[in-house]
Amino acid sequence: MAQAFAPILAENGGGALVDISSVLAWVGGFGGYGDSKAAIWSMTNSLRVELEKQGTLVTSVHLGYTDTDMTAGFSAPKNDPHDVARQIVDGIRDGEVEVLADQDSRQAKAALAGPAELFRVS
């Protein structure tokens, strides 16, 4: 998607790309799904550097369970998707490169500086 849209954004003076990831980008124990979220985080960090020169903001969004069809079968507490969308729009407006949409994501990101034993979701 980035390869398709980046040239169009460049022609129009920049713009923004948003990648939706997960708190699972930073915690272990979730198999290929978590691995794919870690890969999205890495890809987004690379895109951010590559597209900065054309004036394109690249923002990654990290969140835990959010009340969507995908999480309908889970009884865990969930983010309100409207609140997440507002945070994303606010983040783009404010030039944020990362939106941590909930407390789980903020805690997991903060734990990256600590020992690997802290990389768990409670």
Side-chain angles (χ1 to χ4, degrees):
M1 294 298 290
Q3 285 181 325
F5 285 100
I8 297 166
L9 292 171
E11 288 174 17
N12 289 291
L17 291 174
V18 176
D19 286 338
I20 305 295
S21 186
S22 169
V23 64
L24 299 183
W26 302 317
V27 297
F30 294 90
Y33 185 79
D35 297 347
S36 71
K37 296 305 181 179
I40 289 171
W41 183 46
S42 180
M43 178 197 66
T44 301
N45 289 334
S46 293
L47 281 173
R48 184 175 303 118
V49 171
E50 293 169 19
L51 299 181
E52 183 178 34
K53 61 185 164 272
Q54 73 176 42
T56 298
L57 172 67
V58 180
T59 301
S60 61
V61 178
H62 299 269
L63 60 157
Y65 289 121
T66 300
D67 193 12
T68 65
D69 291 345
M70 183 176 167
T71 63
F74 296 98
S75 61
K78 299 174 189 168
N79 298 313
D80 178 342
H82 297 100
D83 180 54
V84 172
R86 180 197 51 76
Q87 289 183 64
I88 294 168
V89 170
D90 289 350
I92 294 167
R93 181 200 62 222
D94 296 342
E96 298 293 332
V97 297
E98 207 163 57
V99 172
L100 307 177
D102 55 34
Q103 188 60 28
D104 286 340
S105 296
R106 289 185 284 277
Q107 287 178 326
K109 178 72 185 286
L112 290 175
E117 292 81 13
L118 295 178
F119 301 150
R120 296 186 184 132
V121 173
S122 52

